[in-house]
Amino acid sequence: VPVFLFVAAPYIRRYVAGGRCKSTARMEGKVVIITGANTGIGKATARDLAQRGKVIIACRDIAKAEAAASEIRAETGNQQVIVKKLDLADTKSIREFAEKFLAEEKELHVLINNAGVMLCPYSKTADGFEMHLGVNHLGHFLLTFLLLECLKQSAPARIVNVSSLAHHGGRIRFHDLHGEKCYNRGLAYCHSKLANVLFTRELARRLQGKFQRQVGFTANALHPGSVASDLVRHSFVMTWLWKIFSFFLKTPCEGAQTSIYCAVAEELDSVTGQYFSDCKPAYVSARGRDDATAKKLWSVSCELLGIQWD
């Protein structure tokens, strides 16, 4: 058995690594925002895109973000790696981020909604939203809304939403969106990842309908794979399992490949409303293809955030 494992190890690792983004597209003169890019796949995505163009790292922890940005600047030689404060658990912070960005930048070509929380003990955001729903869905929903006009004027532009295979286990519980009646932190994560898929689907539909003559204004979602990162830090058991089975997990660089692919691949210039994994189209759950639920979630999200997005 040990000999077999030794021989098979490279093949196992190659399988675990999954697809790679092969695009060499340059992004000179283009601007990319990546939320939660101070660690994990967000940081790996920022490192790759910094070799192509200007990257704005939007994070809650400025100290960690500055450390990551400094490292990326040194590795890539690109000084256009900029840190901006963004706390997705606070709509005031999201609005302040968008206001400052729009005052300082004229264009935005790629928005990667990457940041997320997972397996949190029950808690609420500054606005009273259940943490998974608030950060993973509503925070990015509001951020996209506030930056949409800039993206539209900068087209061709892309919106990339990092979801998860976990969306298959989710459902949108409109009668208990904030988990006040019943809460399971694993399921709460699944629900929020399903919300990412439904948001992407409805956003793409609306963009196509409203800007159908505008080439290359797209929105897609993705599953990065099971990645060795600190996303599972809220669960002692998952942290322990992640360490034991790290050989069978993607590295952050490997996990970032589909995010990078969705952001730069030339063949996706007119592809929108899709869901990818390992740099290729992937299967979406039946709930993730429910247009009625997507439309209702859109309406409820606007109501919760106090915005009108027609």
Side-chain angles (χ1 to χ4, degrees):
V1 174
V3 174
F4 169 77
L5 290 176
F6 178 78
V7 173
Y11 300 97
I12 295 173
R13 275 305 310 160
R14 196 175 306 159
Y15 175 78
V16 169
R20 292 194 68 84
C21 177
K22 298 177 182 178
S23 173
T24 57
R26 303 294 302 169
M27 302 182 74
E28 283 91 352
K30 294 190 175 183
V31 181
V32 179
I33 290 176
I34 309 174
T35 66
N38 63 318
T39 187
I41 65 172
K43 182 180 176 183
T45 303
R47 182 185 293 110
D48 180 281
L49 296 185
Q51 297 174 19
R52 307 171 191 253
K54 182 174 182 177
V55 174
I56 294 176
I57 292 177
C59 296
R60 178 176 55 86
D61 191 321
I62 291 296
K64 288 184 179 179
E66 287 289 2
S70 179
E71 183 183 318
I72 293 170
R73 291 186 205 109
E75 290 177 1
T76 63
N78 182 4
Q79 298 306 305
Q80 291 289 80
V81 180
I82 300 166
V83 172
K84 299 288 184 184
K85 183 174 178 59
L86 171 65
D87 183 354
L88 288 161
D90 186 347
T91 57
K92 181 181 178 182
S93 174
I94 298 169
R95 291 182 180 279
E96 288 176 350
F97 169 86
E99 185 179 344
K100 289 179 181 178
F101 173 83
L102 295 172
E104 296 170 3
E105 302 286 344
K106 294 180 180 179
E107 294 182 308
L108 174 60
H109 302 90
V110 181
L111 171 61
I112 303 180
N113 291 319
N114 165 83
V117 295
M118 180 180 182
L119 302 174
C120 298
Y122 189 77
S123 56
K124 290 187 174 182
T125 68
D127 301 273
F129 309 140
E130 186 277 316
M131 190 61 69
H132 292 90
L133 182 78
V135 171
N136 298 353
H137 169 60
L138 291 171
H140 283 129
F141 188 96
L142 178 60
L143 179 65
T144 305
F145 166 75
L146 295 171
L147 298 177
L148 190 71
E149 191 63 27
C150 186
L151 282 158
K152 183 180 76 172
Q153 293 176 358
S154 307
R158 301 184 184 190
I159 298 165
V160 179
N161 294 323
V162 179
S163 181
S164 170
L165 183 69
H167 86 270
H168 285 271
R171 61 184 303 175
I172 306 302
R173 304 171 69 249
F174 289 109
H175 65 287
D176 189 24
L177 272 179
H178 304 296
E180 294 169 328
K181 298 176 182 177
C182 179
Y183 181 75
N184 176 286
R185 55 186 179 173
L187 289 177
Y189 176 72
C190 295
H191 301 334
S192 71
K193 294 291 100 178
L194 174 59
N196 292 155
V197 172
L198 291 169
F199 168 44
T200 303
R201 188 177 182 87
E202 180 64 9
L203 175 60
R205 186 188 70 80
R206 287 168 178 259
L207 293 181
Q208 280 187 304
K210 199 168 185 180
F211 311 116
Q212 54 188 347
R213 293 182 181 177
Q214 194 162 344
V215 178
F217 192 14
T218 64
N220 290 297
L222 66 100
H223 167 56
S226 297
V227 181
S229 72
D230 65 352
L231 188 62
V232 296
R233 64 187 179 277
H234 293 292
S235 170
F236 172 78
V237 173
M238 288 296 290
T239 300
W240 182 69
L241 289 172
W242 248 227
K243 288 180 179 179
I244 292 176
F245 295 104
S246 60
F247 181 79
F248 300 99
L249 299 174
K250 290 185 178 185
T251 65
C253 180
E254 291 164 351
Q257 293 304 305
T258 308
S259 294
I260 298 164
Y261 175 75
C262 289
V264 305
E266 298 90 337
E267 61 265 34
L268 299 187
D269 281 345
S270 59
V271 176
T272 190
Q274 300 301 305
Y275 172 74
F276 294 87
S277 178
D278 283 326
C279 301
K280 59 181 183 289
Y283 180 74
V284 178
S285 72
R287 290 193 179 108
R289 290 178 272 116
D290 188 328
D291 288 334
T293 301
K295 291 175 183 176
K296 184 175 180 180
L297 177 63
W298 184 284
S299 176
V300 170
S301 298
C302 286
E303 185 178 332
L304 289 169
L305 292 165
I307 60 175
Q308 284 189 318
W309 190 353
D310 299 320

